[in-house]
Amino acid sequence: MTIGTGLSRRHLLRAASALAITPALAQARVCVAPPDAGRVTKAVNDAHARFAGLTEGKNADYIPYLAGVPSALFGVAASEPDGAVAEAGDVGYALAIESIAKVFTLALVLRESGPEAVQQKLGTNATGLPFNSVMGVELNHGKPISPLVNAGAMATVSLVQAASPEERWNKIIGNMSRFAGRTLTVNEEVYKSEADTNEHNRGIAMLLKSYGFMYTDPMEACDIYTRECSIAVTTHDLAVMAGTLANGGINPVTKEAVIDPALVPPVLSQMAIEGLYENTGDWMFTVGLPAKSGVGGGLIAVAPGVLGLAAFSPPLDAAGNSVRAQKAVQSVVQALGLNIYAG
Ligand code: GLN
């Protein structure tokens, strides 16, 4: 990794030993600068080339529309702080954002109601359970526990301050559009497919209401949640959205301050403990970046202060995380040394 003035870490450590200061001290005094653009482009291209032939996994089929999305689609992108986006493959294909939406509506509610309300009314712990678990709600006396599972995400939607469903929806899609740096819209076909088959989520919404953890009409919250999952985004958009979180809440392309920098760490904390559901521990163990997946095949990851990463490929593993997107992001993280625990 290139640090500070463009010297490599090895050079700095050598310089430190010549000056008889400890390597640890030398590192502590140096600000880590983003890797140069050429290395980012290479890492993205290499990740795409490396996994282009991987066919493991299976499209989500409990939402009929998603079963028909071509499984061969594969895109990788990285958003840099100066607004550049390195990309490879099908980065312009409009996929369904699905659960990645949960991250941005959490950011909105944090901004409107603050971290304490989020902890009390939603919870900020890991469930260790599948994203649509009813047992997770029952085990916790109705508290959703995490804003990044379906129960918590519907409760999050219900916390958005609004006098009408329209106002609530406009705030949600408006907020997500600011993260992306362009006006996003719903893929109506995805919405219909999902709304026609979302009995399970409706059941969860009613259950939350019965326990007092749903803060508006449960069917309205479920419907708006279904809509936010049906928002169409490209892999390029996802990289910029992740890049906004990496960049202290400032969209690297539009330069708009979308979220207070103080609210970025709480958002990332949730991605780090629940972003890939019951496989989040494995993800953090092997990759080490806060991330969030969606059953549309998208995945975002955030290297704070450095890069926003995104990848997309429809075939999923058993937990509902894109197989190829995970591999591609892991490859970029390793090539650029972005694991947050590596210091
Ligand atoms: N809309 C999907 C659902 O509610 C989102 C799930 C996901 O992406 N993990 O089941």
Side-chain angles (χ1 to χ4, degrees):
M1 168 169 302
T2 307
I3 0 184
T5 55
L7 294 170
S8 73
R9 183 181 296 267
R10 198 152 40 88
H11 284 124
L12 278 157
L13 296 182
R14 250 195 242 142
S17 73
L19 291 169
I21 51 177
T22 65
L25 182 61
Q27 287 187 42
R29 285 168 176 275
V30 169
C31 285
V32 177
D36 68 68
R39 290 183 63 217
V40 176
T41 304
K42 180 172 178 347
V44 166
N45 286 336
D46 286 354
H48 187 269
R50 205 168 146 200
F51 299 107
L54 186 73
T55 55
E56 229 176 274
K58 194 172 163 296
N59 282 35
D61 57 7
Y62 75 100
I63 298 169
Y65 178 96
L66 297 179
V69 177
S71 302
L73 288 166
F74 181 35
V76 188
S79 156
E80 300 169 57
D82 64 357
V85 180
E87 33 192 44
D90 303 308
V91 292
Y93 181 87
L95 61 131
I97 191 169
E98 296 298 341
S99 278
I100 302 170
K102 293 166 176 167
V103 170
F104 302 98
T105 303
L106 166 63
L108 172 61
V109 167
L110 274 166
R111 191 171 72 210
E112 285 190 345
S113 301
E116 253 175 60
V118 166
Q119 287 205 286
Q120 279 165 17
K121 297 183 173 208
L122 303 171
T124 51
N125 277 312
T127 67
L129 293 166
F131 61 80
N132 59 358
S133 176
V134 172
M135 197 164 70
V137 178
E138 289 292 355
L139 285 173
N140 293 290
H141 313 289
K143 191 164 180 173
I145 298 298
S146 164
L148 300 189
V149 294
N150 291 9
M154 287 189 280
T156 305
V157 163
S158 78
L159 272 183
V160 173
Q161 293 169 16
S164 66
E166 291 70 34
E167 189 187 349
R168 180 166 290 110
W169 169 246
N170 287 334
K171 274 188 169 181
I172 288 172
I173 194 160
N175 171 63
M176 237 168 299
S177 297
R178 281 190 290 280
F179 270 99
R182 72 174 183 98
T183 303
L184 299 176
T185 55
V186 164
N187 178 331
E188 294 294 340
E189 263 187 87
V190 175
Y191 169 68
K192 186 171 175 356
S193 179
E194 198 155 338
D196 284 349
T197 54
N198 68 351
E199 293 84 2
H200 190 87
N201 283 341
R202 279 185 261 161
I204 293 173
M206 290 303 266
L207 189 63
L208 290 173
K209 179 74 180 171
S210 77
Y211 276 115
F213 284 98
M214 176 55 79
Y215 309 102
T216 183
D217 175 77
M219 290 305 97
E220 179 209 316
C222 181
D223 182 56
I224 294 182
Y225 162 77
T226 306
R227 274 194 167 274
E228 74 170 6
C229 290
S230 310
I231 290 174
V233 285
T234 63
T235 307
H236 174 103
D237 292 329
L238 288 175
V240 175
M241 294 168 94
T244 302
L245 290 170
N247 204 28
I250 298 172
N251 184 309
V253 178
T254 65
K255 311 297 177 203
E256 182 182 355
V258 180
I259 180 178
D260 186 321
L263 297 177
V264 171
V267 171
L268 298 185
S269 75
Q270 296 307 291
M271 294 166 66
I273 61 163
E274 190 69 55
L276 280 81
Y277 310 112
E278 67 270 40
N279 288 356
T280 310
D282 288 336
W283 171 264
M284 292 308 284
F285 185 87
T286 51
V287 182
L289 276 193
K292 183 75 203 83
S293 63
V295 290
L299 179 74
I300 61 169
V302 177
V306 186
L307 285 179
L309 303 175
F312 158 62
S313 177
L316 311 177
D317 65 17
N321 304 313
S322 167
V323 176
R324 269 204 299 197
Q326 289 180 81
K327 299 262 191 212
V329 169
Q330 176 171 12
S331 168
V332 175
V333 170
Q334 286 174 347
L336 299 176
L338 300 176
N339 186 323
I340 51 171
Y341 302 123

